[in-house]
């Protein structure tokens, strides 16, 4: 397990202590994947956080005279490691934990944070289970419910229409199928599913089954090495011409996976690199240009997290008063990279805009439509 103990300011003291320069500090533990299957997501998040902290503190790394010391830990995508790291940092007196690209890690850290009255701001982890789980848990990214509502808006009037979910028969695929049924399977919409064996390499029977269902929309939730083969097969079997085919936009590295099918696929997008022109987006690009970095799918999550941390520290002060931090974040509205964000006080969902995107030629995807936060807001839940 790699521990990346880096900090914008130095020291191993607890919240409210002084640094070598005599200034007061509050520590923030960023626990996310810098190794393992979602390491790229973790890197995007960390870069976004660094740029966001620079922007939110006007380059000082401090708020109201309190320095924000950032400690980075690699969970490797392992829930047990994530929990161990969280307990270690809590034991050191760290009042704020942020990060987690993996839903399984985030859902295990959340109860630990609540038990210890530690503020937890999750990262790209998309599971709906984090929303409303406890009063100390917030999120800086989107959740699955918002993805599916984006698909619903793309579909338009759904009465009498048929949707087929194409996914692998594993936890990821089953969760997506369940989410689509819960959101789209109302108002006269019929939702079915075609779940492929995760190890299948010949996907022609799967594509044929999807086409035979004669759907108006195909919602694709697919991960792994067979993705390129899957898209090629859907195209060869005529599925992409027979229905609106929607899938989530992934990181830049995934763009070539679509192959020749790229222009026939409609993308629901948490973020489209280069699309936003908010002051925060411009600040992020300026910072990234100096670092020779590229913005990606989850850089806004890190940027949001830094903005939320600064607001929390402003309220909690050098003492790291987490109850004050929680109260400050509940109902907190702020302009982010993507646009207006609001932390819903009732359940801590992060209300934010989402996008419909399309590939054009060989270039990067472009935004076709933007859906405002209220149009893709998840159903409200109760905390706990």
């Amino acid at each position: 397990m790699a521990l990346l103990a880096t900090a914008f300011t130095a020291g191993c003291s607890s919240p409210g202590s002084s640094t070598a320069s005599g200034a007061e500090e509050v520590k923030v533990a960023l626990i996310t994947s810098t190794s393992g299957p979602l390491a790229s997501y973790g890197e995007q998040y960390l870069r976004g956080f660094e740029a966001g902290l620079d922007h939110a503190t006007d380059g000082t790394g401090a708020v109201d005279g309190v320095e924000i010391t950032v400690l980075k830990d690699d969970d490797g995508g392992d829930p047990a490691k994530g929990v161990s790291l969280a307990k270690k940092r809590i034991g050191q007196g760290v009042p704020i934990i942020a990060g987690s690209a993996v839903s399984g890690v985030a859902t295990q850290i959340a109860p630990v944070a609540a038990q210890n009255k530690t503020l937890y701001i999750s990262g790209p982890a998309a599971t709906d289970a984090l929303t409303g789980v406890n009063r100390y848990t917030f999120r800086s990214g989107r959740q699955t419910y918002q993805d599916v509502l984006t698909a619903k808006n793309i579909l338009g009037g759904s009465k009498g229409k048929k949707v087929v979910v194409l996914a692998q028969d594993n936890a990821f695929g089953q969760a997506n199928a369940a989410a689509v049924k819960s959101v789209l399977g109302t108002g006269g919409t019929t939702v079915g599913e075609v779940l492929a064996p995760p190890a299948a390499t010949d996907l022609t029977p799967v594509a044929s089954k999807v086409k035979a269902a004669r759907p108006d929309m195909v919602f694709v939730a697919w991960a792994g090495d067979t993705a390129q083969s899957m898209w090629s097969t859907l195209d060869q079997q005529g599925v992409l011409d027979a229905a609106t085919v929607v899938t989530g936009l992934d990181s830049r590295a995934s763009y070539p996976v679509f192959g020749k099918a790229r222009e026939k696929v409609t993308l629901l997008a948490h973020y489209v690199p280069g699309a936003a022109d908010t002051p925060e987006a411009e600040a992020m690009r300026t910072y990234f240009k100096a670092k020779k970095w590229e913005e990606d799918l989850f850089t806004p999550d890190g940027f949001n997290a830094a903005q939320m941390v600064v607001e929390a520290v402003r309220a909690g002060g050098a003492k790291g008063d987490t109850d004050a931090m929680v109260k400050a974040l509940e109902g907190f509205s702020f302009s982010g990279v993507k646009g207006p964000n609001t932390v819903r006080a009732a359940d801590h969902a992060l209300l934010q805009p989402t996008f419909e995107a399309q590939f054009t030629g060989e270039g990067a995807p472009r935004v076709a439509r933007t859906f405002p936060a209220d149009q893709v807001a998840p159903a409200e839940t109760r905390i706990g």
Side-chain angles (χ1 to χ4, degrees), residues 192-284:
E193 62 186 47
V194 175
L195 299 181
T201 54
D202 180 6
L203 299 173
T204 300
V206 173
S208 298
K209 190 173 181 180
V210 172
K211 187 176 181 181
R214 302 176 63 86
D216 296 288
M217 172 185 280
V218 180
F219 184 99
V220 179
W222 202 276
D225 296 339
T226 56
Q228 190 159 7
S229 174
M230 181 271 298
W231 288 114
S232 176
T233 304
L234 288 182
D235 194 16
Q236 292 169 2
Q237 296 301 310
V239 175
L240 302 184
D241 296 314
T244 298
V245 179
V246 177
T247 193
L249 178 66
D250 204 342
S251 301
R252 287 176 180 270
S254 74
Y255 295 173
V257 165
F258 293 92
K260 295 180 180 179
R262 56 190 290 121
E263 293 182 49
K264 298 180 181 181
V265 178
T266 300
L267 304 163
L268 59 90
H270 165 50
Y271 179 61
V272 181
D277 58 1
T278 64
E280 291 71 25
E282 294 303 325
M284 180 182 70

Side-chain angles (χ1 to χ4, degrees), residues 334-359:
F334 60 102
S335 175
V337 171
K338 293 166 53 177
N341 294 321
T342 298
V343 179
R344 191 163 59 192
D347 58 5
H348 302 177
L350 184 62
L351 308 184
Q352 59 194 288
T354 60
F355 308 93
E356 175 187 343
Q358 201 86 35
F359 281 110

Side-chain angles (χ1 to χ4, degrees), residues 167-192:
Q168 292 146 308
D169 194 4
N170 53 25
F172 172 74
Q174 292 161 9
N176 273 271
V180 173
K181 287 179 181 178
S182 68
V183 176
L184 297 183
T186 58
T189 304
T190 301
V191 179

Side-chain angles (χ1 to χ4, degrees), residues 101 103 106-107 122-133 137-151 172 175-176 179-180 182-183 219 248 268-271 298 301 304 338 341-344 346-355 373 376-382:
S103 292
T107 53
S122 181
T127 177
D128 293 317
L130 288 173
T131 297
V133 65
T137 297
F138 294 79
R139 64 193 320 150
S140 63
R142 98 305 187 194
Q143 61 188 87
T144 300
Y145 207 113
Q146 288 163 314
D147 287 345
V148 180
L149 282 173
T150 302
F172 172 74
N176 273 271
V180 173
S182 68
V183 176
F219 184 99
L268 59 90
H270 165 50
Y271 179 61
F298 294 118
D301 297 21
N304 287 345
K338 293 166 53 177
N341 294 321
T342 298
V343 179
R344 191 163 59 192
D347 58 5
H348 302 177
L350 184 62
L351 308 184
Q352 59 194 288
T354 60
F355 308 93
V376 291
E380 190 172 300
T381 60
R382 290 187 177 183

